[in-house]
Amino acid sequence: RISRSGRRAADPALRSFASRIAPFATTSEPAQLKMGSVVLERPATSEATNGSNAREEFLNVYAGLRQELVDDPLLGDQPPAARAWLTEMLDYNVPGGKLNRGMAVLDVLRALKGKGQDVSTADALQANILGWCIEWLQAFFLVADDMMDNSITRRGQPCWYRVPKVGLVAINDGIVLESCMYRMLQRHFRDQPYYAQLLELFHETTHQTSHGQLMDLITAPIGTVDLKRYTIDTYMRIVTYKTSFYSFYLPVACGLLVGGVRDDKSLALAKDICVRMGQYFQIQDDYLDCFGDPVVIGKAGTDIEDNKCSWLVVQALDHASPEQRSVIEEHYGKADEASVAAVKEVYRELQLERKFLDYEQKSHDRLTAEIEQQTSLPPGVFTLLLNKIYKRKK
């Protein structure tokens, strides 16, 4: 909606969100929104802001959303123990990652606005709320994934289900995390003309990601090594559905919807570019797991010993000699250092590091050309993501 002055009018959900915690300033563009003791500063321009400041602003929004969920009137008068559990569970699982997916929503909105044009405080808040919906969805996926993989740590701390008092309660906590996402969407976007599109977007992304997770689990089940399943078609399906949709298309689509880009043609274009960017990202991730510097990455790669259907093993199986294939079949999926070293030696013999670098350059060039040639959306919508991942080291 546009007011008579030409500015976007603040919608009722945003006014309600602000008034419950602290009133807007009397000017049409407040310098900040206050959420209790937390303050969301107004993003001054559409140009890139300091990374640490952007992260701080984003985290400030989390504090307000978490309190809304804890105080949710739909749950009536929750007992103190339930409120305390929800607060601790959210703080443990939601805000601790890199937050790249969530923060990308506002980046996309700024790219739509273009240089020299302000992003209103209201629009920035909407973008950041949607960003946190994505981070809530990510937390739901990770809590479940850690249990399925029997993982030990996540983000430098024990996986949530590994906390002694949690255990299998984490199954319900995952359900709670997903339901919180839809509560936030309803609370802040149900009066928006694109609310139905948002709901479809999040439902479809969840469905697609769960399919990717299923493919990953049944292709490389724990304790079973069956290399005949490791084909390029299977691999690309896994990475497309498990990674590309929610890590790349979802943040971009959210930013486009807030920015007023809601036509099928533009969204389809964005999906096509983002899916291929996500495929490149995951192949890059597989490369770094084997050839990256553990000191830079922050962890040692374990794809070989974990029997992962990775891009490297798929390429190796496609190009290996009978002798090299025998080495892979004997050692892949084993945790001892000698087996890992034997598989990596085959990778080196096949020059997979060079093969990846060639793939990376060609993928970057193709994506860049397509981004520059399309005329539906500002190139910055995509280049801001592509530039972050191109030749990344971690």
Side-chain angles (χ1 to χ4, degrees):
R1 286 171 301 216
I2 304 297
S3 67
R4 291 182 180 178
S5 65
R7 293 181 181 272
R8 179 186 293 270
D11 66 273
L14 285 171
R15 288 200 302 270
S16 175
F17 180 74
S19 63
R20 276 196 308 277
I21 307 172
F24 277 103
T26 56
T27 59
S28 59
E29 278 300 327
Q32 57 187 217
L33 292 179
K34 294 182 179 179
M35 299 183 291
S37 59
V38 179
V39 177
L40 172 65
E41 299 292 341
R42 175 186 177 190
T45 70
S46 62
E47 298 180 20
T49 58
N50 179 275
S52 60
N53 290 341
R55 182 183 176 88
E56 183 179 352
E57 290 174 1
F58 190 58
L59 285 168
N60 286 346
V61 176
Y62 166 78
L65 293 172
R66 178 198 60 195
Q67 197 58 45
E68 278 191 347
L69 292 164
V70 172
D71 296 336
D72 193 344
L74 187 67
L75 301 179
D77 188 15
Q78 285 195 84
R83 293 170 60 88
W85 184 280
L86 180 59
T87 300
E88 181 182 359
M89 187 271 289
L90 295 178
D91 286 346
Y92 197 96
N93 292 292
V94 178
K98 295 187 287 291
L99 307 180
N100 288 339
R101 295 170 181 84
M103 293 172 63
V105 180
L106 182 54
D107 288 340
V108 170
L109 183 60
R110 286 178 173 143
L112 280 176
K113 294 284 186 179
K115 291 185 177 181
Q117 296 189 47
D118 290 355
V119 173
S120 70
T121 310
D123 281 351
L125 182 56
Q126 281 189 318
N128 280 331
I129 291 172
L130 282 178
W132 279 113
C133 288
I134 296 171
E135 293 296 332
W136 250 268
L137 181 62
Q138 159 88 336
F140 161 53
F141 288 152
L142 296 184
V143 167
D145 184 70
D146 287 342
M147 298 183 73
M148 287 180 254
D149 287 350
N150 198 30
S151 299
I152 306 297
T153 61
R154 168 73 67 180
R155 296 170 174 170
Q157 60 185 1
C159 296
W160 178 241
Y161 82 100
R162 290 274 184 175
V163 175
K165 68 177 182 179
V166 178
L168 295 181
V169 178
I171 297 173
N172 189 68
D173 287 337
I175 297 171
V176 171
L177 286 165
E178 185 188 24
S179 68
C180 285
M181 176 184 69
Y182 289 108
R183 288 297 292 158
M184 289 184 288
L185 287 173
Q186 181 190 50
R187 193 178 190 103
H188 295 287
F189 296 93
R190 62 184 170 187
D191 293 327
Q192 293 295 330
Y194 54 93
Y195 179 51
Q197 285 179 283
L198 278 178
L199 289 179
E200 287 182 359
L201 176 64
F202 276 89
H203 279 299
E204 288 176 0
T205 302
T206 303
H207 191 55
Q208 289 163 327
T209 306
S210 64
H211 171 74
Q213 176 74 349
L214 172 65
M215 289 296 299
D216 192 20
L217 291 169
I218 65 177
T219 300
I222 296 175
T224 301
V225 180
D226 184 359
L227 298 179
K228 294 190 298 296
R229 301 178 181 181
Y230 294 6
T231 67
I232 190 62
D233 289 342
T234 297
Y235 172 79
M236 293 305 293
R237 187 170 188 86
I238 291 172
V239 302
T240 297
Y241 282 86
K242 187 176 178 178
T243 301
S244 293
F245 286 111
Y246 98 92
S247 293
F248 286 85
Y249 177 60
L250 180 59
V252 170
C254 284
L256 294 178
L257 291 174
V258 174
V261 179
R262 297 158 196 163
D263 62 285
D264 292 341
K265 179 181 177 182
S266 296
L267 291 171
L269 171 70
K271 181 183 292 187
D272 179 62
I273 293 175
C274 288
V275 163
R276 286 186 289 113
M277 204 180 301
Q279 293 167 344
Y280 159 48
F281 174 84
Q282 186 57 57
I283 292 172
Q284 188 182 48
D285 216 46
D286 291 353
Y287 164 81
L288 290 173
D289 183 270
C290 180
F291 294 107
D293 185 347
V295 175
V296 176
I297 298 172
K299 63 178 182 179
T302 60
D303 281 359
I304 293 174
E305 45 265 66
D306 290 345
N307 185 34
K308 292 293 185 180
C309 180
S310 80
W311 184 80
L312 293 171
V313 73
V314 169
Q315 295 298 319
L317 292 169
D318 278 350
H319 297 91
S321 66
E323 293 78 13
Q324 290 170 326
R325 187 180 182 91
S326 294
V327 172
I328 297 172
E329 290 174 345
E330 179 181 353
H331 295 286
Y332 202 76
K334 295 181 179 179
D336 61 278
E337 293 183 7
S339 290
V340 173
V343 174
K344 286 187 175 182
E345 181 58 31
V346 172
Y347 289 174
R348 293 188 181 92
E349 291 171 1
L350 294 171
Q351 297 184 322
L352 292 190
E353 187 168 10
R354 168 51 53 192
K355 187 175 182 66
F356 165 77
L357 294 175
D358 290 343
Y359 162 82
E360 178 175 49
Q361 190 61 54
K362 290 177 182 177
S363 294
H364 179 267
D365 292 347
R366 282 195 298 266
L367 284 166
T368 299
E370 183 170 349
I371 290 167
E372 292 175 349
Q373 290 167 7
Q374 61 83 31
T375 58
S376 298
L377 297 166
V381 168
F382 305 108
T383 55
L384 65 93
L385 291 173
L386 185 58
N387 291 341
K388 286 181 179 180
I389 64 174
Y390 179 53
K391 292 192 178 296
R392 67 187 174 101
K393 302 299 181 183
K394 61 179 180 178

